[in-house]
Every structure is written in C-alpha cells, then in structure tokens.
Amino acid sequence: QQLFVGDQVLRVSARNEEQISLLGVLGEQEELQVDFWRHPNSPGHPVDLRVPFLTLQGVKKFLDFHNFSYSIMIEDVQELLDEEKESMRRSRRI
Amino acid sequence: KRSSRTFDFASYHTIDEIYDWMDVLVEDHPSLVSKIQIGQSYENRPLYVLKFSTGGRNRPAIWLDTGIHAREWITHATGVWTANKIASEYGQDPSVTAILDSMDIFLEIVTNPDGFAFTHSSNRLWRKTRSKYSGNLCVGVDPNRNWDAGFGEAGASSSSCSETYHGPYANSEPEVKSIVDFVQSHGNIKAFVSIHSYSQLLLYPYGYTYTAVPDQQELHEVSAKAVAALSSLYGTQYKYGSIITTIYRASGGTIDWTYNQGIKYSFTFELRDTGRYGFLLPAKQIVPTAEETWLALKVIMEHARDNLY
C-alpha cells in the first residue's frame, strides 16, 4: 500500500499568465512527482498540488524563486488518511 | 437480512459494501428500484446502475453518475445517500413523486470500480481506470478524457503517466463504452449529470471548445437556480458556467459527448470543498454535502421534467 507520510498539499496562487505557465513547467518535471488536485486555470484561481515529501524542498524552492505566494493546505496527507481509515473502521464496528 | 435503514451514510464504504447495500435497497423498494448491469470494467467488475422507475416503457430519463474519478470518495458517498433519498422520497415528496411518475432515473454510483477498489487497497489517491495498453509506460486512463467529443485535442494528455491521459482511442475504457452504449440504446435520456469533486462548481458544456452551446442561456439560468438552491442550505458558495470558461480546457469530457448526443440538460458538478481537505473530505461532511447537492439536483430534474423536448 502506498503511503503518503510527509506529503503536503500546497495551495498556490498564480498572479499572472507567466506564473500559470511556470506551474505548467513544474507539472512537467516528472522527477518532482507533483500531483495537481486543482489545475492551473487563470490568474487569481487557486491551484492545489500534492507534493511528495522527498521533493517538497525542491518544489518550495521553485515556488519561492519565482515569487509565488502559497500556503500549506494539508500538512501531512498520511495523517488525514489514517484518520479516514480509523473512522471507517469505527463505523464498521458499530 | 440487513436493512438499508441501518446503513451508515456518514461513513465511507468499500465497493463490496456499496454493492451489497444496493441489493438491500432493491429488496426494500422492489416496486421502484431495480439493479441493472450495463457492462463490466477492465478488471471484470460489474458496472451496476440503479434504475428508479414507476413503470412505463422507455420513459424519458435522467442519468446521474458518481465516482468516475476513483479518489473523489465524497461523490460515491453522495451517490449512495442520493439513491436512498430518491427511494424514500417517492410517495412522500410531491416533487420527487411527480418526477418519477413521468420519468425514470438511472444512477451509477461506482462508475470506475477498478480505480475505486484500488483506492481502498493500494493507493488512496488513484484517479484513473486500471487499464493497461502495450507500449504504455503507466497504467490507467482518465475516463473523463476518453469520450468522443474533441477526443485527443488540447485539454488532455497523450502521456500514459499523466493524470489526464486520454487513452489510445475514444471509448477505449469499458467503463466509458458501457455508458455510451447504454445512452445510445436507451435513446430517451433527457438529462445527464456527472458528479465530481472538489472546488464547488456546477458546469455545462463545452470543455473542448470556446464555442458556446446553442442552449447556453437556458443552461446558465438552470445552473443559477440550482446553485441558489444548493447554497440555501448551508451557505456553500458555488460558481457556475461552461467548463472551458470556468475551469480549463478539457477535451474528451463526459458531458460534452452527452450534449452532442442531443441530451440538452448535461451538467457536471464539482462538490465540496473549497480547499481544506481536497479529496480527503472528512466523513462527517458526507451528509451535509449530499443534502445540499440534492437540492441542486432536484432543480435540474424538475426543469427537465417540466421542459421535455
């Protein structure tokens, strides 16, 4: 089973078309394994991306370097998944 | 025998639990609900559709589907709740009763069963089908890029490793082809609603072109009314419009194909949330999400009923 320990979901805001294109470039770098949960659309629309723990530093560096403003939407994906699993287990037991 | 009344709608469930529950729902409402199999998935799982019908032959119909993207668990859960709501409101709620007295409703809850099973066993964040094609590096096709509407154009990927991979050819995925065959052989589907998550949107065609659909004004007005109904319950804010102008260009999408088949009332939802949990919406939000979505669905279904074409 694939685990997502330390993976984060970042909410990124693109200010202009150039930044939208840069997010496209980020997505094309397969080694970063960025998983877009909400794709780049137009400036002002939030973009959500799940970033594996191993490439988190690289992706954040990229965002900082290109002056993106972003926040951490999910701090640790696996924590939420564990909660979800536990809630299903509880419901089944009941 | 278990009863559909003891099912925990406020929890996420596996495919086996959902399929078992569908049988119980049919047993509890034998004169209204039946289960039909429209095909089987790549990994040979049955593709089940619940049919809600009060009789008649080939009545005008409404199609609803949830879960075409496997990781969007809130949609399957909403589908289960909605199925139960339709069954329990018939004969109680005048609007639902009037819809079912003149139309049939078809509801496919687990539209991508292989992907859904995979989200439970191996990778909670899997989105695509599980098909394998020789020469492809990666597994799976995005079933919402696999329809014969602008297939393979901009707004889908030709790389098998992409989450938006369109597949080798239109309808390559049995999960898609089964719906295509069903819709075409039925021939009298008047409304088609495909339910996704998340980002809180109600969308109508097109996704593959900026050309406005001939019915844009009507679809826009129906969307406005549906979104107002939805928001009235918990204040959840939705945006609405055509796919391409509201989210992004997407080719080979479900409702672009259904619209081109002549199904005027073609819509797609993106359910909650605005960006705290994404695809990991906590189970305690299932019922509120389903409740608010139901209000919008009712507007669309009522409009289809009152404006048959």
Side-chain angles (χ1 to χ4, degrees):
Chain A
Q1 188 173 32
Q2 188 170 334
L3 298 177
F4 300 87
V5 179
D7 288 16
Q8 293 190 341
V9 179
L10 307 179
R11 166 152 287 199
V12 182
S13 164
R15 277 193 301 276
N16 48 43
E17 289 295 340
E18 192 194 344
Q19 286 199 327
I20 295 279
S21 309
L22 281 168
L23 287 173
V25 170
L26 184 71
E28 281 161 19
Q29 295 182 34
E30 284 180 10
E31 68 281 5
L32 294 178
Q33 294 174 49
V34 169
D35 170 20
F36 281 91
W37 282 17
R38 274 165 73 132
H39 288 260
N41 169 20
S42 53
H45 280 78
V47 177
D48 297 338
L49 35 117
R50 180 180 62 81
V51 187
F53 176 69
L54 285 176
T55 63
L56 201 50
Q57 219 175 0
V59 170
K60 284 182 174 174
K61 227 181 232 172
F62 177 94
L63 295 174
D64 289 334
F65 182 78
H66 293 287
N67 291 317
F68 280 94
S69 72
Y70 67 91
S71 58
I72 298 170
M73 180 173 131
I74 297 176
E75 187 80 40
D76 184 342
V77 170
Q78 190 59 44
E79 266 180 34
L80 275 187
L81 295 182
D82 291 343
E83 280 171 29
E84 188 179 71
K85 211 170 200 174
E86 174 56 22
S87 134
M88 284 176 75
R89 199 185 59 80
R90 248 192 337 261
S91 156
R92 221 169 266 137
R93 202 175 59 222
I94 290 164
Chain B
K1 163 181 163 316
R2 280 181 298 172
S3 163
S4 57
R5 286 176 294 278
T6 62
F7 188 82
D8 183 9
F9 293 99
S11 179
Y12 291 114
H13 295 275
T14 63
I15 186 169
D16 291 338
E17 289 167 352
I18 292 174
Y19 277 6
D20 284 351
W21 175 80
M22 282 163 60
D23 288 336
V24 175
L25 185 78
V26 171
E27 282 175 40
D28 282 356
H29 304 274
S31 56
L32 178 66
V33 191
S34 55
K35 187 182 82 174
I36 52 180
Q37 185 178 346
I38 61 165
Q40 55 185 30
S41 67
Y42 180 83
E43 292 176 343
N44 297 320
R45 291 185 176 83
L47 298 167
Y48 289 133
V49 173
L50 289 173
K51 178 181 181 183
F52 300 83
S53 178
T54 56
R57 277 193 72 243
N58 204 40
R59 279 182 168 174
I62 295 162
W63 170 279
L64 311 171
D65 66 76
T66 54
I68 198 167
H69 284 150
R71 63 189 179 182
E72 297 169 8
W73 278 15
I74 184 61
T75 70
H76 311 84
T78 295
V80 170
W81 185 96
T82 303
N84 189 61
K85 186 73 173 169
I86 295 169
S88 57
E89 292 287 64
Y90 179 70
Q92 307 290 323
D93 178 274
S95 164
V96 175
T97 306
I99 291 168
L100 284 167
D101 280 343
S102 57
M103 302 179 85
D104 294 341
I105 299 175
F106 294 96
L107 169 54
E108 186 172 5
I109 296 175
V110 189
T111 308
N112 173 7
D114 298 346
F116 188 54
F118 198 68
T119 62
H120 281 276
S121 64
S122 305
N123 180 346
R124 169 65 181 84
L125 296 175
W126 190 259
R127 163 188 166 102
K128 300 189 283 183
T129 61
R130 292 293 301 162
S131 56
K132 299 178 184 82
Y133 294 100
S134 65
N136 278 4
L137 194 60
C138 293
V139 171
V141 166
D142 180 349
N144 196 31
R145 298 290 187 282
N146 190 238
W147 302 70
D148 196 6
F151 176 82
E153 293 175 10
S157 174
S158 56
S159 160
S160 66
C161 298
S162 165
E163 295 289 7
T164 57
Y165 174 48
H166 51 55
Y169 52 91
N171 300 338
S172 63
E173 303 312 283
E175 297 82 359
V176 171
K177 181 70 163 59
S178 299
I179 301 175
V180 166
D181 290 345
F182 179 80
V183 166
Q184 288 182 329
S185 68
H186 187 283
N188 203 16
I189 292 178
K190 300 297 185 188
F192 191 109
V193 183
S194 189
I195 301 181
H196 291 247
S197 76
Y198 60 103
S199 64
Q200 299 177 191
L201 302 167
L202 176 54
L203 306 166
Y204 50 80
Y206 286 118
Y208 71 95
T209 172
Y210 276 103
T211 305
V213 292
D215 302 296
Q216 164 133 17
Q217 194 183 336
E218 183 182 359
L219 298 185
H220 202 74
E221 284 165 10
V222 175
S223 300
K225 209 172 149 193
V227 162
L230 185 153
S231 302
S232 70
L233 193 58
Y234 296 113
T236 308
Q237 295 298 305
Y238 264 56
K239 288 181 183 155
Y240 54 92
S242 73
I243 297 169
I244 197 167
T245 59
T246 312
I247 343 180
Y248 45 65
R249 182 188 292 273
S251 60
T254 311
I255 64 163
D256 285 0
W257 180 81
T258 57
Y259 186 86
N260 286 346
Q261 290 295 301
I263 303 176
K264 177 161 66 162
Y265 300 119
S266 290
F267 293 94
T268 183
F269 276 90
E270 294 280 352
L271 304 185
R272 288 187 188 186
D273 71 0
T274 48
R276 267 193 80 180
Y277 302 104
F279 301 117
L280 309 179
L281 197 66
K284 66 180 176 206
Q285 289 200 40
I286 292 172
V287 174
T289 303
E291 285 173 338
E292 67 187 15
T293 307
W294 171 247
L295 297 181
L297 283 175
K298 257 177 51 169
V299 168
I300 294 169
M301 293 194 294
E302 285 161 1
H303 187 87
R305 176 198 66 201
D306 298 339
N307 295 275
L308 285 178
Y309 53 92

Coordinates of all heavy atoms in Angstrom, one line a residue, chain B residues 129-158:
Chain B
T129 N -8.7 4.9 -14.5 CA -9.1 3.5 -14.6 C -7.8 2.6 -14.3 O -6.8 3.2 -14.0 CB -9.6 3.1 -16.0 OG1 -8.6 3.4 -16.9 CG2 -10.8 4.0 -16.3
R130 N -7.9 1.3 -14.5 CA -6.7 0.5 -14.3 C -6.3 -0.3 -15.5 O -5.7 -1.4 -15.4 CB -7.0 -0.5 -13.1 CG -7.2 0.2 -11.8 CD -5.9 0.8 -11.2 NE -4.8 -0.2 -11.1 CZ -3.5 0.1 -11.0 NH1 -3.1 1.4 -11.0 NH2 -2.6 -0.9 -10.8
S131 N -6.7 0.2 -16.7 CA -6.4 -0.5 -17.9 C -4.9 -0.4 -18.3 O -4.2 0.6 -18.0 CB -7.2 0.1 -19.1 OG -7.0 1.5 -19.2
K132 N -4.4 -1.4 -19.0 CA -3.0 -1.5 -19.4 C -3.0 -1.6 -20.9 O -3.8 -2.4 -21.5 CB -2.3 -2.7 -18.8 CG -2.2 -2.6 -17.3 CD -1.5 -3.9 -16.8 CE -1.5 -4.0 -15.2 NZ -2.8 -4.5 -14.7
Y133 N -2.2 -0.8 -21.6 CA -2.1 -1.0 -23.0 C -0.6 -1.2 -23.4 O 0.3 -0.5 -22.8 CB -2.6 0.3 -23.7 CG -4.1 0.5 -23.5 CD1 -4.6 1.3 -22.6 CD2 -5.0 -0.3 -24.3 CE1 -5.9 1.5 -22.3 CE2 -6.4 -0.2 -24.1 CZ -6.8 0.7 -23.1 OH -8.2 0.8 -22.9
S134 N -0.4 -2.1 -24.3 CA 1.0 -2.4 -24.6 C 1.7 -1.1 -25.2 O 1.1 -0.4 -26.0 CB 1.1 -3.6 -25.6 OG 0.6 -3.2 -26.8
G135 N 2.9 -0.9 -24.8 CA 3.6 0.3 -25.2 C 3.5 1.4 -24.2 O 4.3 2.4 -24.3
N136 N 2.5 1.3 -23.4 CA 2.3 2.4 -22.4 C 3.2 2.2 -21.2 O 3.2 1.0 -20.6 CB 0.9 2.5 -21.9 CG 0.0 3.3 -22.9 OD1 0.5 3.7 -23.9 ND2 -1.2 3.5 -22.6
L137 N 3.8 3.2 -20.7 CA 4.7 3.1 -19.5 C 3.9 2.9 -18.3 O 4.2 2.2 -17.3 CB 5.6 4.4 -19.4 CG 6.7 4.4 -18.5 CD1 7.7 3.3 -18.9 CD2 7.4 5.7 -18.6
C138 N 2.7 3.7 -18.2 CA 1.9 3.7 -17.0 C 0.6 3.1 -17.2 O 0.1 2.9 -18.3 CB 1.8 5.1 -16.5 SG 3.4 5.9 -16.0
V139 N -0.1 2.8 -16.0 CA -1.4 2.2 -16.0 C -2.5 3.2 -15.9 O -2.3 4.3 -15.3 CB -1.5 1.3 -14.8 CG1 -2.9 0.7 -14.5 CG2 -0.5 0.1 -14.9
G140 N -3.6 3.0 -16.6 CA -4.8 3.8 -16.4 C -5.0 4.9 -17.4 O -4.1 5.4 -17.9
V141 N -6.3 5.2 -17.6 CA -6.7 6.3 -18.5 C -7.7 7.2 -17.7 O -8.5 6.7 -16.8 CB -7.5 5.6 -19.7 CG1 -8.3 6.7 -20.5 CG2 -6.5 4.9 -20.6
D142 N -7.6 8.5 -17.9 CA -8.6 9.3 -17.3 C -10.0 9.2 -18.0 O -10.1 9.5 -19.2 CB -8.1 10.8 -17.4 CG -9.1 11.8 -16.8 OD1 -10.2 11.4 -16.4 OD2 -8.7 13.0 -16.6
P143 N -10.9 8.6 -17.3 CA -12.2 8.3 -18.0 C -13.0 9.6 -18.3 O -14.0 9.5 -19.1 CB -12.9 7.4 -17.0 CG -12.3 7.6 -15.7 CD -10.9 8.1 -15.9
N144 N -12.6 10.7 -17.8 CA -13.2 11.9 -18.2 C -12.5 12.7 -19.3 O -12.7 13.9 -19.5 CB -13.4 12.8 -17.0 CG -14.4 13.9 -17.2 OD1 -15.4 13.8 -18.0 ND2 -14.2 15.1 -16.6
R145 N -11.6 12.0 -20.0 CA -11.0 12.5 -21.2 C -11.1 11.5 -22.4 O -10.5 11.6 -23.4 CB -9.5 12.8 -21.0 CG -9.2 13.8 -19.9 CD -9.5 15.2 -20.3 NE -9.1 16.2 -19.4 CZ -9.7 16.4 -18.2 NH1 -10.8 15.8 -17.9 NH2 -9.2 17.4 -17.4
N146 N -11.9 10.4 -22.2 CA -11.9 9.3 -23.1 C -13.2 9.3 -23.9 O -13.4 8.3 -24.7 CB -11.9 8.0 -22.2 CG -11.6 6.8 -23.0 OD1 -12.4 5.8 -22.9 ND2 -10.6 6.7 -23.8
W147 N -14.0 10.3 -23.9 CA -15.3 10.3 -24.6 C -15.0 10.9 -26.0 O -14.1 11.7 -26.2 CB -16.3 11.1 -23.9 CG -16.6 10.6 -22.5 CD1 -15.8 10.6 -21.4 CD2 -17.8 9.8 -22.1 NE1 -16.4 10.0 -20.4 CE2 -17.6 9.5 -20.7 CE3 -19.0 9.5 -22.7 CZ2 -18.5 8.8 -20.0 CZ3 -19.9 8.8 -22.0 CH2 -19.7 8.4 -20.6
D148 N -15.9 10.6 -26.9 CA -15.7 11.0 -28.3 C -16.3 12.4 -28.6 O -17.2 12.7 -29.3 CB -16.5 10.0 -29.2 CG -16.0 10.1 -30.7 OD1 -15.0 10.9 -30.9 OD2 -16.6 9.5 -31.5
A149 N -15.7 13.4 -27.9 CA -16.0 14.8 -28.1 C -14.7 15.6 -28.0 O -14.2 15.8 -26.9 CB -17.0 15.2 -27.0
G150 N -14.2 16.0 -29.1 CA -12.9 16.7 -29.1 C -11.8 15.7 -28.6 O -10.8 16.2 -28.1
F151 N -12.0 14.4 -28.8 CA -11.1 13.5 -28.2 C -9.6 13.7 -28.7 O -9.4 13.9 -29.9 CB -11.5 12.0 -28.6 CG -10.5 11.0 -28.1 CD1 -10.5 10.6 -26.8 CD2 -9.4 10.6 -28.9 CE1 -9.5 9.7 -26.3 CE2 -8.5 9.7 -28.5 CZ -8.5 9.2 -27.1
G152 N -8.7 13.8 -27.7 CA -7.3 13.9 -28.1 C -6.9 15.3 -28.4 O -5.7 15.5 -28.6
E153 N -7.8 16.2 -28.3 CA -7.4 17.6 -28.6 C -6.7 18.2 -27.3 O -6.6 17.6 -26.3 CB -8.6 18.4 -29.0 CG -9.1 18.0 -30.4 CD -10.4 18.7 -30.8 OE1 -10.8 19.7 -30.1 OE2 -11.0 18.2 -31.8
A154 N -6.4 19.5 -27.4 CA -5.9 20.2 -26.2 C -6.8 20.0 -25.0 O -8.0 20.0 -25.2 CB -5.7 21.7 -26.5
G155 N -6.2 19.9 -23.8 CA -7.0 19.7 -22.7 C -7.1 18.3 -22.2 O -8.0 17.8 -21.5
A156 N -6.1 17.5 -22.7 CA -6.0 16.1 -22.3 C -4.5 15.7 -22.7 O -3.9 16.4 -23.5 CB -6.9 15.1 -23.0
S157 N -4.0 14.7 -22.0 CA -2.6 14.4 -22.2 C -2.5 13.1 -23.0 O -3.3 12.2 -22.9 CB -1.9 14.2 -20.9 OG -0.6 13.8 -21.1
S158 N -1.4 13.1 -23.9 CA -1.2 11.8 -24.6 C -0.1 11.0 -23.9 O 0.2 9.9 -24.4 CB -0.6 12.2 -26.0 OG 0.5 13.0 -25.9

